[in-house]
Amino acid sequence: MSKLKLCAVLIAALNCGLSAAAAEPAAAIQPAYTQGNDYRQLAPERQTTAVNEVSEFFSFWCYHCKAFNAQMRDIAAELDGTVPVKLYPVDFGDAGSHAAQIGYFYALKHGKGQKYLDVMFALIHEGRVDIKNPEQIASVINLIDLDGMDFLKHRNDAEFTTESAKVEDLLTRYDINAVPELVVNGKYIPQIFKYESTEDKVGLLRYLSTMP
């Protein structure tokens, strides 16, 4: 075979190989998340019934929770309802933090949960307001264009006290001693703060949400 013909054969074979490779899409590269490094799994007795949800436990008085608030909002937007995000404010047992917790549940019911978060974090960390009683929370409720008097009237309703008791139960069950803390599907604790970008955090949360 002449060199010219051999070259033509090789080129044809190469083009055929390239076409075949192009026909097969490259497999997506998945990050290698590992237990102990990227997340930990709760002991079986501490897990709750599997639910596709990212739970964040936080405190209005926690500076790191305030700093994470904006990014958590972006994370929820990125997850876009495919993995629901639920926030659980912690009650420290004093009148102020309990009222703040109930105020969040009240605002959430009326579609103002995020606005309440933003105002509370700003008042406590920027305005240095010392929240001590339900009447102060009623003023916050007024600030977000809801009825503070209605809040005071209904703050002890079962729907709010039940939510408060649920938070306390979950804190105990998950053995959460510091905030902010995230739990995925009632089973996994992501090491979320080892990642800086929202994209990387979302990637880890999506991965854990698909874990059995």
Side-chain angles (χ1 to χ4, degrees):
M1 183 181 293
S2 69
K3 289 184 179 180
L4 185 60
K5 287 184 178 180
L6 178 60
C7 184
V9 170
L10 290 175
I11 290 173
L14 179 60
N15 286 336
C16 182
L18 289 173
S19 298
E24 298 180 6
I29 299 175
Q30 296 294 332
Y33 299 117
T34 58
Q35 184 170 332
N37 185 45
D38 300 287
Y39 66 92
R40 64 183 176 88
Q41 182 173 328
L42 291 166
E45 66 273 13
R46 292 196 174 278
Q47 297 173 16
T48 56
T49 302
V51 57
N52 188 31
E53 176 182 288
V54 174
S55 307
E56 183 201 355
F57 296 86
F58 72 97
S59 165
F60 291 109
W61 284 262
C62 163
Y63 175 79
H64 297 293
C65 298
K66 175 188 181 298
F68 187 51
N69 177 44
Q71 191 174 40
M72 193 63 200
R73 181 169 49 207
D74 292 340
I75 288 171
E78 286 291 325
L79 293 173
D80 193 25
T82 57
V83 184
V85 175
K86 189 161 185 179
L87 307 185
Y88 294 102
V90 174
D91 175 1
F92 290 123
D94 61 279
S97 65
H98 179 71
Q101 181 192 63
I102 298 297
Y104 172 72
F105 295 139
Y106 179 90
L108 188 65
K109 176 185 177 180
H110 292 87
K112 298 288 185 74
Q114 186 59 55
K115 191 170 184 179
Y116 179 85
L117 290 176
D118 293 339
V119 171
M120 283 291 289
F121 279 129
L123 286 173
I124 292 171
H125 295 278
E126 297 166 24
R128 305 300 185 193
V129 176
D130 187 11
I131 303 290
K132 291 184 176 181
N133 55 62
E135 287 72 27
Q136 289 173 294
I137 297 300
S139 297
V140 175
I141 295 296
N142 287 331
L143 286 174
I144 62 173
D145 301 320
L146 294 176
D147 188 342
M149 292 302 294
D150 186 68
F151 162 73
L152 291 175
K153 179 180 178 181
H154 293 286
R155 64 190 175 90
N156 292 319
D157 287 0
E159 61 181 311
F160 303 131
T161 57
T162 298
E163 280 294 298
S164 179
K166 177 182 177 181
V167 176
E168 187 63 30
D169 177 68
L170 290 176
L171 286 170
T172 302
R173 178 179 289 273
Y174 296 151
D175 194 28
I176 293 175
N177 299 303
V179 290
E181 186 74 277
L182 273 62
V183 180
V184 181
N185 293 1
K187 189 173 183 178
Y188 301 104
I189 307 288
Q191 304 301 316
I192 198 76
F193 297 107
K194 70 173 288 185
Y195 296 98
E196 293 186 8
S197 74
T198 296
E199 181 181 6
D200 289 339
K201 287 180 169 69
V202 168
L204 174 59
L205 295 175
R206 282 194 189 280
Y207 171 80
L208 293 176
S209 73
T210 65
M211 291 279 283

